[in-house]
Amino acid sequence: MTGMARDTPTGDLRLANLTRRFGTLTAVDDLSLTIAQGSFFALLGASGCGKTTTLRMIAGLDEPTSGQVLLGDRDIGRLRPYQRPVNTVFQSYALFPHLTVFENVAFGLRRRGIRPVDAEVNRMLSLVQLDGYGPRRPAQLSGGQQQRVALIRALVNRPQVLLLDEPLGALDLTLRRQMQIELKRIQTEVGITFVHVTHDQEEAMTMADTVAVMNAGGIEQLGAPADIYEFPATAFVANFLGRSNLLAAEAGGTSGGDVAVTAHGTRFSVPAGRSRADHGPVHLGVRPEKLNLVGSADQVPVGHQHVTGVVTDASYLGVSTQYLLRTGWGTELSVFAANTGTSARVAVGSEAVAYWDPRHAFLLPRDAVDTDPTASAPNEPVGASS
Amino acid sequence: MRLWRWLADRWVMIVALLVLGYLALPILVVAALSFNRPSSRLSYDFNEFTVDNWRRPCATSDMCDAVVRSVQIGFLATVVATVLGTLMAFALVRHRFRGRSAINVLVFLSMATPELVMGTSLLALFVSAGVPQGFWTVVISHVVFCVSFVVVTVKARLAGMDRRLEEAAMDLYASEWQTFRRITLPLVLPGIVAAALLAFSLSFDDFIVTNFNAGTTVTFPMYVWGAAQRGIPPQVNVIGTAMFAVALLLVGLSSLRGRRARRTAAPVGQVEFGRDAGTR
Ligand SMILES: Nc1ncnc2c1ncn2[C@@H]1O[C@H](COP(=O)(O)OP(=O)(O)OP(=O)(O)O)[C@@H](O)[C@H]1O
Ligand SMILES: [Mg+2]
């Protein structure tokens, strides 16, 4: 790789108005974002929203229809894939079937003329607990083992940017947690910029410095995991990252630092700092774990807001119990009650009151046609966590 | 009752053995006759065991000339057809261009054309172009019918290859040429080798097309045809048996190589034969 080592572009990875069309379909739509050098960036989004296409354009495997890919101040968008200091862990692994596991891992090092490779390759193999698997062919490995080989085949090159397309999807929970810790450790140690596509939001939240939620080719929201979770920007994000109870409501303007909201004839308020709209149709959102369930309205603490309903379902999950509360107007709210042992369980069919602290609620703008997203599919919000 | 049960359990194997016997019988006869000292020129009866034919396969010298000529023609036709056919297969699988589907049809058409038609039309072509018939017209005409078989064989192999492997190679710092050399070629090679073997055997035993375009050149099939009128010398059976043995050896070697590769690929004690290595 002539000159690449000396003249490697470094710095923040920036995508500028990146667009990719396949015929009439716009897979990536005017995407702009900056990923700080050495940071762990997670890309979340429903299937088919353009995550893989975005990664392919960064790697140089797909040509943007328009827009730029920049590393530091260098435009790498027109470089060939092998000229970019970027490596990919492919969603489909793409291991070379005719080469041994060892040669697969050594491939990148050899192409760059680095030798000897043995020590480094074996170190990587033991990192993912595949000692002794070097002489095998990929077809003689299980899916999870193949995935680990795909991971170290890219990682061994210590690129500026590592693109990971669902690199841990085929692993069992224990191994997955182990690999997450390992990945995070390597990332902090070596200072590689990680762009990590995942469907596991827990993974995204625990590992990433910054999370971006993608929808239909664009970024819906970008920020620190806690910020996105606590104050989602759109109804899509609110239900994609974790679950939310969203009530269709009308906002009636700000007064004294609070936005007044009317939902189904009941008045609520939300702090102005947690409102993304203060007029017209809105969603009033509360996370299920922020709701508390009590038997009657006089048990609701001062300063809290509540709705009354009938418990239609109670699922015992061990650490918590998940209730469904059908409100007077037909919406079903989900409530997670931690099994701390301090409060009695509420029986199905009994009347109950769900209350919350207004500082935990949030207001999102709503298209006038939207009704309660929670009402339409109470049990299966989009992208519910596993 | 017992017999029926016995037959019901084994009928697949019995049929298979019968078919194998049917296929192998002519070859066995040829092999046996290669050790025969015929009683007369036109006799095909087994008369007396001898190894003379094997010791002096070139006793009838024009036969050996014909064999050498056939091998030369087969080799040249195979090389040219394999190179052209492989390039064509790459073009057809990897590129979208105008007339691509028409070429696909043409390739099949030349395989479907009766040899008689191909032979006469090539003859007409050579005559009208004023090309004297002989060794080179045979080579050219063999290339013509071998190319389409090569295209079809290599194309199948290439179409089954995952493009993402090449992308992965490029992502791992392999230039276009290195990607071709280290990933594409090794993965497609079994297809190319199979195509070359097919081309050689097609060329080696072709009679009809050759007969139209050979002029005074005599290939091995033409020699055998001519000899059949006067009585086939037993050495023909030697050549036939030897050809079969070589083919058998090649098949045996390639399957042995495949098995060895699989065995060394698996560390001792951790052998998994779940899936085939998928590369051959
Ligand atoms: N080569 C292609 N030709 C045509 N359409 C394509 C091509 N590649 C991707 N698409 C389309 O672009 C859209 C985005 O695809 P992409 O692979 O980026 O999705 P993704 O977000 O990675 O999904 P997943 O989570 O399922 O992997 C999809 O609608 C897909 O059908
Ligand atoms: Mg994808």
Side-chain angles (χ1 to χ4, degrees):
Chain A
M1 288 306 69
T2 44
M4 207 192 72
R6 253 165 290 125
D7 192 23
T8 307
T10 59
D12 298 350
L13 176 67
R14 278 194 297 139
L15 310 182
N17 308 101
L18 207 57
T19 301
R20 177 65 166 104
R21 290 197 195 87
F22 296 107
T24 54
L25 179 107
T26 307
V28 175
D29 193 3
D30 197 31
L31 189 78
S32 294
L33 60 87
T34 301
I35 301 172
Q37 182 174 19
S39 72
F40 198 120
F41 186 89
L43 208 51
L44 278 171
S47 183
C49 70
K51 303 182 297 292
T52 299
T53 308
T54 306
L55 294 195
R56 286 173 58 82
M57 288 190 286
I58 299 173
L61 302 172
D62 215 334
E63 284 255 327
T65 310
S66 62
Q68 286 176 302
V69 180
L70 300 120
L71 198 55
D73 45 14
R74 283 269 300 279
D75 185 354
I76 61 166
R78 297 286 172 265
L79 294 182
R80 305 292 299 145
Y82 48 84
Q83 294 166 325
R84 304 186 187 200
V86 175
N87 286 115
T88 311
V89 181
F90 290 85
Q91 191 168 13
S92 55
Y93 316 154
L95 299 178
F96 308 128
H98 60 300
L99 299 180
T100 61
V101 167
F102 185 95
E103 285 305 322
N104 264 280
V105 178
F107 193 88
L109 297 177
R110 291 203 199 282
R111 297 292 83 71
R112 285 186 299 158
I114 293 171
R115 60 181 55 97
V117 298
D118 293 39
E120 189 59 15
V121 171
N122 286 326
R123 206 178 65 74
M124 279 292 165
L125 282 172
S126 68
L127 185 73
V128 292
Q129 302 169 15
L130 288 175
D131 310 76
Y133 283 74
R136 287 211 202 183
R137 297 290 167 110
Q140 294 167 319
L141 301 181
S142 75
Q145 291 168 338
Q146 292 179 25
Q147 197 162 47
R148 281 179 272 161
V149 174
L151 183 64
I152 56 172
R153 184 179 69 173
L155 196 57
V156 74
N157 299 294
R158 315 211 168 223
Q160 290 290 318
V161 180
L162 187 68
L163 307 173
L164 304 106
D165 203 347
E166 296 184 45
L168 308 176
L171 305 184
D172 64 75
L173 208 61
T174 324
L175 193 56
R176 180 191 283 230
R177 295 286 170 256
Q178 232 171 319
M179 297 297 300
Q180 287 173 0
I181 294 168
E182 208 51 62
L183 272 183
K184 185 72 192 164
R185 193 182 61 73
I186 294 167
Q187 189 262 336
T188 2
E189 253 175 35
V190 187
I192 302 174
T193 310
F194 273 41
V195 183
H196 185 111
V197 167
T198 176
H199 279 292
D200 180 347
Q201 33 178 299
E202 206 174 304
E203 185 173 297
M205 300 224 264
T206 51
M207 298 175 80
D209 307 313
T210 311
V211 173
V213 180
M214 259 186 102
N215 187 22
I219 300 266
E220 195 95 357
Q221 189 178 7
L222 185 150
D227 294 349
I228 297 189
Y229 186 81
E230 296 301 336
F231 193 19
T234 63
F236 176 83
V237 175
N239 269 325
F240 192 83
L241 207 66
R243 308 178 173 199
S244 296
N245 294 302
L246 295 179
L247 303 181
E250 295 293 326
T254 313
S255 64
D258 285 335
V259 179
V261 196
T262 314
H264 305 280
T266 316
R267 298 181 58 82
F268 302 98
S269 71
V270 178
R274 294 191 52 81
S275 306
R276 296 194 191 268
D278 63 355
H279 270 288
V282 289
H283 284 298
L284 170 60
V286 192
R287 294 282 186 186
E289 72 278 8
K290 302 280 171 30
L291 287 178
N292 301 281
L293 218 53
V294 289
S296 65
D298 31 285
Q299 288 168 273
V300 174
V302 216
H304 286 57
Q305 300 181 341
H306 68 271
V307 294
T308 312
V310 177
V311 175
T312 54
D313 188 51
S315 326
Y316 180 73
L317 302 176
V319 291
S320 67
T321 306
Q322 182 190 338
Y323 296 100
L324 282 183
L325 186 77
R326 180 177 291 279
T327 59
W329 59 86
T331 308
E332 284 202 312
L333 300 181
S334 79
V335 181
F336 292 163
N339 285 335
T340 51
T342 50
S343 54
R345 291 178 59 192
V346 186
V348 173
S350 63
E351 194 152 290
V353 175
Y355 70 87
W356 67 91
D357 187 327
R359 286 170 301 178
H360 291 153
F362 50 86
L363 273 195
L364 306 176
R366 167 174 70 98
D367 293 338
V369 287
D370 277 10
T371 47
D372 294 356
T374 356
S376 54
N379 291 316
E380 303 257 46
V382 199
S385 68
S386 48
Chain B
M1 266 336 279
R2 273 268 190 77
L3 182 68
W4 280 122
R5 167 70 53 81
W6 190 86
L7 275 178
D9 285 350
R10 287 170 182 75
W11 69 271
V12 174
M13 206 162 68
I14 293 169
V15 171
L17 284 175
L18 285 175
V19 171
L20 269 181
Y22 178 67
L23 292 177
L25 200 62
I27 297 165
L28 285 178
V29 169
V30 166
L33 285 179
S34 73
F35 292 103
N36 184 29
R37 191 195 310 278
S39 51
S40 76
R41 284 182 60 134
L42 282 170
S43 155
Y44 291 94
D45 297 327
F46 201 87
N47 179 43
E48 189 191 337
F49 181 84
T50 174
V51 289
D52 280 359
N53 306 328
W54 281 88
R55 256 208 242 117
R56 284 191 314 262
C58 286
T60 43
S61 69
D62 41 348
M63 183 195 78
C64 271
D65 291 348
V67 170
V68 169
R69 202 163 297 119
S70 269
V71 170
Q72 285 170 341
I73 291 170
F75 181 76
L76 287 171
T78 299
V79 169
V80 176
T82 305
V83 169
L84 289 181
T86 302
L87 291 177
M88 205 157 145
F90 266 92
L92 287 172
V93 174
R94 288 300 167 79
H95 298 282
R96 303 273 164 272
F97 52 89
R98 198 187 262 260
R100 189 169 144 270
S101 41
I103 290 179
N104 269 321
V105 172
L106 273 176
V107 165
F108 262 105
L109 214 59
S110 87
M111 281 196 294
T113 310
E115 283 199 73
L116 204 61
V117 176
M118 187 176 282
T120 47
S121 52
L122 279 166
L123 175 66
L125 178 72
F126 290 134
V127 169
S128 63
V131 182
Q133 283 133 60
F135 184 87
W136 290 106
T137 50
V138 175
V139 171
I140 291 169
S141 52
H142 282 197
V143 168
V144 169
F145 65 77
C146 285
V147 159
S148 20
F149 286 92
V150 174
V151 171
V152 169
T153 314
V154 177
K155 225 176 74 172
R157 182 82 198 178
L158 206 53
M161 198 191 133
D162 191 350
R163 283 306 295 274
R164 283 171 293 196
L165 295 177
E166 288 162 323
E167 294 182 345
M170 290 238 235
D171 187 65
L172 292 164
Y173 312 106
S175 63
E176 281 87 356
W177 164 246
Q178 287 173 322
T179 302
F180 177 77
R181 154 106 180 55
R182 308 228 166 238
I183 306 298
T184 319
L185 192 60
L187 288 174
V188 181
L189 199 60
I192 297 177
V193 170
L197 288 175
L198 184 66
F200 184 82
S201 71
L202 284 172
S203 160
F204 188 81
D205 78 359
D206 182 75
F207 176 72
I208 300 175
V209 175
T210 314
N211 204 27
F212 278 105
N213 298 291
T216 54
T217 307
V218 178
T219 64
F220 182 59
M222 289 168 73
Y223 173 84
V224 176
W225 170 251
Q229 324 282 321
R230 301 170 264 122
I232 296 183
Q235 281 85 353
V236 166
N237 298 320
V238 171
I239 301 296
T241 311
M243 289 298 296
F244 179 70
V246 167
L248 210 63
L249 198 74
L250 282 179
V251 171
L253 276 181
S254 88
S255 89
L256 202 71
R257 213 177 79 94
R259 201 168 312 154
R260 175 134 16 94
R262 261 196 296 281
R263 183 143 9 97
T264 52
V268 188
Q270 296 179 319
V271 187
E272 277 171 29
F273 285 111
R275 274 187 285 160
D276 192 41
T279 51
R280 56 192 107 246

